[in-house]
């Protein structure tokens, strides 16, 4: 039987804490035996999760005996990591223990230095903050989880389930993992990454800037086949000047800004209407449904059909 140690620190997010406890505790081998023993570990004494207090039955010394350590997210990712926790995680890593983080738990794992030079992820709302705090970590905001072998990280909330099922499949194979997925009422693999859950707001429009009129015009005419020359003519400047002003004021190019506006419009239409994919591709300015599918998949991380299935409102069905 494998041992999973779940680290509970002050501010631990209850959902992140409970996910590995439930998933691993419920997992059974083909002969019915438990696949894992789960131990909740802490510094000693009560832990404040915000919604409730708990007292972990095991201390940090239990991390040394674990096959896998799970680090749930904490409400304040910037909270300093206690030196004892830092030392215990580094010591376990040196002994070859597998360590995985859920959601903002990536900040704890990154603080140990164990993610330096490695790819990692966290909740999409915190990916920029993680990259800024730990520039040696290659942060990927689009995936549900990253498996580096010994060290793994997941995106936020439900992505912790995906990570746990992945670990079970690594340990015991697809059949055991599929049974665990059914108990969790989850598919063993979900289509797309966390990019599909990121809110792609309309691209920023700098208020009061000289670009504001042309940005509004681009948004209003996004369904048309606009070229860089068309946009430059509307703006009353050369293509070269237009590109320079766009980079200065929006951080991107005119055509990339337009593409983001079209993707957001397509997302809205997929969510709020029952229009066909072919019709939406024209309404959003993609010209052909093939081009629409390719660009949507590249940016959002899933197909228009799958996005609609996940996010279409009841009123639009």
């Amino acid at each position: 039987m494998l041992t999973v140690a779940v680290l509970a620190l002050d501010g631990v997010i209850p959902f992140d804490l409970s996910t590995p406890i439930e998933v691993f505790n419920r997992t059974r081998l083909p002969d019915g035996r438990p696949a894992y023993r789960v131990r909740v570990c802490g510094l000693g004494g009560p832990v404040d999760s915000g919604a409730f207090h708990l007292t972990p039955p095991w201390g940090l010394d239990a991390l040394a005996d674990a096959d896998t350590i799970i680090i749930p997210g904490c409400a304040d990712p910037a909270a300093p990591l206690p030196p004892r926790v830092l030392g215990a995680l580094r010591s376990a890593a040196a002994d070859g223990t597998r360590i995985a983080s859920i959601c903002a738990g990536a900040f704890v794992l990154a603080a140990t230095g164990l993610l330096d030079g490695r790819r990692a992820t966290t909740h999409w709302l915190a990916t920029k903050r993680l990259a800024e705090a730990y520039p040696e970590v290659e942060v990927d905001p689009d995936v549900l989880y990253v498996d580096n072998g010994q060290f793994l990280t997941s995106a936020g909330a439900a992505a912790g389930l995906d990570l746990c099922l992945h670990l079970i499949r690594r340990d015991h194979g697809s059949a055991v993992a599929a049974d665990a997925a059914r108990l969790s009422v989850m598919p063993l693999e979900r289509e797309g990454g966390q990019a599909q859950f990121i809110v792609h707001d309309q691209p920023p429009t700098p208020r009061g800037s000289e670009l504001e009129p042309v940005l509004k015009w681009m948004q209003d005419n996004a369904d048309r086949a606009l070229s860089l020359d068309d946009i430059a003519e509307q703006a009353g400047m050369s293509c070269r000047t237009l590109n320079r002003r766009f980079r200065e004021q929006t951080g991107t190019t005119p055509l990339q800004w337009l593409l983001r506006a079209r993707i957001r419009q397509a997302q809205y239409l997929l969510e709020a209407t029952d229009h066909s994919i072919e019709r939406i591709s024209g309404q959003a300015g993609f010209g052909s449904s093939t081009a629409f599918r390719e660009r949507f998949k590249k940016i959002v991380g899933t197909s228009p059909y799958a996005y609609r299935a996940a996010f279409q409102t009841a009123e639009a069905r």
Side-chain angles (χ1 to χ4, degrees):
M1 186 186 299
L2 299 175
T3 299
V4 174
V6 183
L7 181 61
L9 301 175
D10 269 334
V12 65
I13 298 170
F15 186 90
D16 295 354
L17 176 68
S18 63
T19 295
I21 295 172
E22 281 295 295
V23 174
F24 290 112
N25 260 332
R26 289 174 176 265
T27 302
R28 293 294 181 267
L29 298 174
D31 61 6
R33 289 181 296 118
Y36 299 94
R37 65 171 64 88
V38 179
R39 294 174 174 171
V40 180
C41 307
L43 280 163
V47 171
D48 183 2
S49 75
F52 54 83
H53 288 74
L54 68 148
T55 302
W58 285 273
L60 294 180
D61 55 337
L63 299 183
D65 300 324
D67 298 288
T68 299
I69 297 171
I70 305 289
I71 307 173
C74 291
D76 181 8
L81 190 61
R84 287 175 54 208
V85 174
L86 188 70
L89 291 173
R90 285 175 174 168
S91 177
D95 290 338
T97 303
R98 184 172 63 185
I99 305 177
S101 65
I102 294 175
C103 193
F107 285 82
V108 175
L109 192 51
T112 66
L114 297 171
L115 293 179
D116 288 358
R118 293 184 168 91
R119 188 163 150 260
T121 194
T122 187
H123 193 292
W124 61 268
L125 281 172
T127 51
K128 182 179 179 181
R129 185 175 179 182
L130 180 65
E132 290 173 347
Y134 301 99
E136 297 302 315
V137 180
E138 181 188 342
V139 180
D140 188 339
D142 296 334
V143 296
L144 293 174
Y145 59 83
V146 175
D147 183 347
N148 286 301
Q150 186 181 2
F151 306 114
L152 303 91
T153 53
S154 87
L161 277 167
D162 295 283
L163 177 63
C164 291
L165 294 172
H166 174 70
L167 291 171
I168 294 168
R169 183 167 49 187
R170 272 185 50 177
D171 292 338
H172 299 292
S174 294
V176 172
D179 283 341
R182 281 189 284 271
L183 286 171
S184 300
V185 197
M186 276 279 292
L188 185 53
E189 291 187 21
R190 284 195 285 168
E191 180 175 350
Q194 77 168 317
Q196 63 188 302
F197 303 103
I198 298 174
V199 178
H200 291 272
D201 293 326
Q202 292 288 4
T205 302
R207 298 298 176 188
S209 78
E210 62 181 316
L211 289 181
E212 185 175 355
V214 74
L215 291 173
K216 185 178 186 307
W217 177 83
M218 289 169 65
Q219 193 166 307
D220 292 343
N221 292 273
D223 59 327
R224 294 175 47 197
L226 300 178
S227 67
L228 185 61
D229 288 334
D230 293 331
I231 300 169
E233 181 180 353
Q234 179 66 28
M237 58 185 74
S238 69
C239 291
R240 183 175 180 180
T241 301
L242 180 69
N243 268 322
R244 185 175 70 252
R245 299 283 168 78
F246 254 80
R247 288 196 177 278
E248 290 171 353
Q249 297 181 34
T250 71
T252 188
T253 67
L255 294 182
Q256 283 298 314
W257 193 97
L258 180 61
L259 176 59
R260 286 182 57 195
R262 286 171 168 165
I263 288 292
R264 182 64 197 106
Q265 175 65 7
Q267 287 180 301
Y268 168 76
L269 292 170
L270 289 167
E271 295 164 9
T273 75
D274 62 354
H275 297 173
S276 68
I277 299 300
E278 288 69 24
R279 182 178 176 184
I280 289 175
S281 68
Q283 290 174 305
F286 287 94
S288 76
S289 57
T290 300
F292 169 50
R293 289 185 181 95
E294 290 176 352
R295 292 180 182 179
F296 193 92
K297 173 82 171 179
K298 182 176 181 180
I299 292 175
V300 183
T302 191
S303 70
Y305 289 106
Y307 184 88
R308 166 170 275 170
F311 298 105
Q312 188 178 40
T313 61
E315 294 79 5
R317 294 192 181 105

